[in-house]
Amino acid sequence: MPILHSLARSVGLSLALALGGCSQLPSPAAAPLEVNLAVINDLHGHVRSGPFSYRPPAGGEITLAAGGIDALSGVLAELRRQDPELLFVGAGDLIGGSPPLSGLWADEPTLEALDLMGLDVSAVGNHELDNGRQELLRQIHGGCASPRPDKACRFDGRHRGTRFPYIAANLIDSASGEPLFAPYHIEEVRGLKIAFVGAVTADLPYLVPRSSMQGLHILDEAEAINAQIPALERQGADAIIAVVHSGGRTAAAFDRPDCSDLSGDIVGVARRLDPQVDLLISAHTHEGYLCRVGSLPVTQAASYGRLLTHLTLRIDPASRQVLGVEARNLVVDPQRYPGSAEVTALKQAIEQRGRETLGRPMARLGARRVPRRPDAAGESPMGDLVADAQLAATRHLGARAALTNLGGIRGELALEPGQSRVSFGQLVTAQPFDNPLVVLSLSGAQLRELLEQQWQGGEFRPLQVSASLSYRWDASRPPGQRVLPGSLRIDGRPVRDQESYRITVNSFLAGGGDHFEVLTRGAERLDTHLRDRQALIDYLQARDRGGEPAGRGESARRIGRADAAVATGR
């Protein structure tokens, strides 16, 4: 069944009465007008397709390569054959945190592809601001003056900017007090005004480097969107669509309509939106869903272009009210949707440019595959490897341990058949952000507090630790007391509350990223001018030259978990 929105706005129908008291039969009601949308979110510069698995209703599991800019263009072409006035919408994180085929060139090829596909508008996501406001403004408006001169305008010698606008009602320039970008965007389709109001997650200050928020502040998503409703009504908007880079989670299948078990931050946003909002397009959690919060449809299209949400709004031509919303999540299957000539040619050019640089062999690994996925204790083989590399790079600066966030590691390292050394492209894919490393001092008490901050708002965000650090935790203990007393050790010795320890973290964490606020209080901060990706490359190559390639197929058990969930195997 389609998702139907019970409107708070009343739809009045009147019957005309003939002069002289004689009634006439009413004219047949005009058929509803249909407005079609195609929506993507969290593309993250994924030029190529990637694995996607799902369980069809008939049972079993289907795994295929899905996404890629060519297949996306093919889906859009098919939908435009059905409706030439289709609107193409993004919900943020279209760029940033990208694989090297886009990231090596400051995501300019991805932005060019989105222009070729006719993107009409996008909300701002947190990753659009990975490199600060000036770089995002350059990516939008064009030009080559960039804090990343090694990447900007290196793809084809210039960058023209985007033809589509970004919108964000709640991202405020502190100096002017006004939104940094337009808060909304209106498109006209079949004589109807369709308004899109954008917002980025209110958690933004904890998701980007501290420098990216200089001169900016964030407002509550729902309040900022609701504040735009009077202006949209004055302009005669016939439908109001909130496009919010925040999301939720559900156990429902990505294509199940009307799911009602959505949880997460987006639910609170949905419940506080003005009833005039007809549809909420969400993002950020990389999940696919077609849900409702109350009567409001809330959708998301997974990530990396593997799904596309096709939405049909039915609007009464007389009252100009939205009667209902039908939603489908389509799998972007390259076998089913051949790409357009222009986008396919661009993809081939991107791959050709990247082949020589990205294919360079770098080092042997200690295992054919080093997974990113953490175990029950929160420890990841990739996390072990990256933390060890960062400690090795900074030991000469006095560092005794290194910690890194799993979110800064975007993939695993896995050798393909016949491949003996991991390539530069695989390393860039795993560590795309190229963050600087910072060494700072924490007391033993602060280090313990840092580890306790891994549990936030009911969510576990495990930090990855170098081989020099170990501890045990128990989920059954109260928050703030989950690290077992006496278990926290550095170099095999118990950590003492009053002793000072030099710790290495990336610059994102050092600024309090992911809500690890205690790191902002670290003393004797040293910007090492070393980068996390180069630290990983140097470490792998040094271990290879020494005859002991780094990397394991399973975690090194530096983190132990003592509660019943592990003991019983649940």
Side-chain angles (χ1 to χ4, degrees), residues 152-402:
C153 297
R154 294 303 179 98
F155 180 66
D156 63 4
R158 60 177 178 171
H159 177 55
R160 291 176 289 271
T162 67
R163 291 195 288 268
F164 65 88
Y166 273 102
I167 54 174
N170 66 331
L171 184 60
I172 307 300
D173 183 301
S174 299
S176 67
E178 297 295 325
L180 181 63
F181 299 100
Y184 59 81
H185 176 77
I186 296 176
E187 289 279 345
E188 291 200 26
V189 178
R190 298 184 174 90
L192 299 167
K193 291 184 176 182
I194 312 300
F196 299 91
V197 191
V200 62
T201 171
D203 222 20
L204 181 66
Y206 303 100
L207 299 174
V208 298
R210 178 173 286 192
S211 59
S212 293
M213 291 301 297
Q214 289 181 356
L216 298 173
H217 65 272
I218 198 81
L219 302 178
D220 176 82
E221 306 98 326
E223 291 177 7
I225 290 169
N226 292 344
Q228 303 302 320
I229 302 298
L232 295 174
E233 290 182 323
R234 287 194 297 271
Q235 295 189 55
D238 299 303
I240 299 175
I241 300 169
V243 188
V244 181
H245 192 80
S246 181
R249 302 193 182 279
T250 173
F254 72 89
D255 55 352
R256 175 188 161 190
D258 293 333
C259 97
S260 58
D261 65 343
L262 191 63
S263 63
D265 292 343
I266 199 65
V267 175
V269 175
R271 287 175 175 159
R272 290 180 290 111
L273 285 176
D274 191 294
Q276 299 289 79
V277 175
D278 299 292
L279 167 67
L280 173 54
I281 294 168
S282 69
H284 190 52
T285 50
H286 291 203
E287 292 214 2
Y289 50 72
L290 308 170
C291 294
R292 287 181 296 108
V293 175
S295 61
L296 182 66
V298 184
T299 66
Q300 189 180 166
S303 60
Y304 307 154
R306 298 170 299 175
L307 293 181
L308 178 146
T309 305
H310 179 211
L311 294 153
T312 301
L313 281 66
R314 295 188 299 107
I315 301 176
D316 183 273
S319 65
R320 319 288 277 196
Q321 305 296 311
V322 175
L323 302 175
V325 179
E326 180 179 341
R328 296 185 297 155
N329 269 334
L330 306 177
V331 178
V332 181
D333 183 354
Q335 301 300 315
R336 181 176 178 183
Y337 301 105
S340 69
E342 280 186 309
V343 175
T344 299
L346 173 60
K347 181 187 174 187
Q348 291 171 346
I350 296 168
E351 291 176 327
Q352 178 63 34
R353 284 291 311 276
R355 195 167 289 125
E356 180 177 343
T357 300
L358 301 177
R360 283 187 290 129
M362 304 303 291
R364 291 180 296 165
L365 295 176
R368 297 290 300 178
R369 176 172 172 262
V370 185
R372 177 186 179 275
R373 185 174 182 176
D375 60 19
E379 185 176 345
S380 155
M382 273 298 298
D384 290 344
L385 176 61
V386 170
D388 286 346
Q390 294 180 4
L391 178 58
T394 54
R395 229 186 234 288
H396 70 288
L397 299 172
R400 297 181 61 184

